[in-house]
């Protein structure tokens, strides 16, 4: 079971970028999913999260600019980033609550995807 993140890159201030993260492998269901970021010299912080039911939560700095969404059929979570700022520069990683089916046993675990770098610069 793994998460594969993509979509990072360089963007100018005020621009937009969309990150995606897909769960693959022996995935029975995907629960809560979220995006985190870690800027150089700073601690990792939660950017946005979405529950299996679609409830969302954002860090204050992302409210009104970022939108988290999910496609349950594709086991994918997205982060639409609009009006990006230099302070959004960071390594973005995704986290998901994944339930696997092994034999007749269900196992739930939290897994992380690899980071995808977002650089906001003019």
């Amino acid at each position: 079971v793994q998460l594969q993140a993509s979509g990072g890159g360089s963007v100018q201030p005020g621009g937009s970028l969309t990150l995606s993260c897909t769960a693959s492998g022996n995935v029975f269901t995907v629960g809560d999913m979220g995006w985190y970021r870690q800027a150089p010299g700073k601690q990792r912080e939660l950017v946005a999260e979405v529950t299996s039911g679609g409830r969302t939560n954002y860090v204050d700095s992302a409210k009104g600019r970022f939108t988290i969404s999910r496609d349950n059929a594709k086991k994918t979570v997205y982060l639409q980033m609009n009006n990006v700022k230099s302070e959004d520069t960071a390594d973005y990683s995704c986290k998901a609550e994944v339930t696997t089916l092994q034999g007749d046993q269900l196992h739930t675990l939290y897994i992380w995807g690899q980071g995808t770098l977002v650089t906001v610069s003019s």
Side-chain angles (χ1 to χ4, degrees), residues 62-105:
K63 291 179 181 177
R65 299 189 299 124
F66 295 1
T67 301
I68 190 169
S69 62
R70 60 189 291 164
D71 184 328
N72 290 328
K74 295 182 178 180
K75 303 182 181 70
T76 298
V77 62
Y78 305 95
L79 185 69
Q80 174 69 43
M81 306 168 62
N82 296 327
N83 190 23
V84 296
K85 304 175 180 180
S86 58
E87 52 263 42
D88 295 321
T89 295
D91 187 51
Y92 285 72
S93 54
C94 54
K95 179 183 176 182
E97 178 189 24
V98 175
T99 298
T100 66
L101 179 62
Q102 299 176 15
D104 60 351
Q105 297 291 320

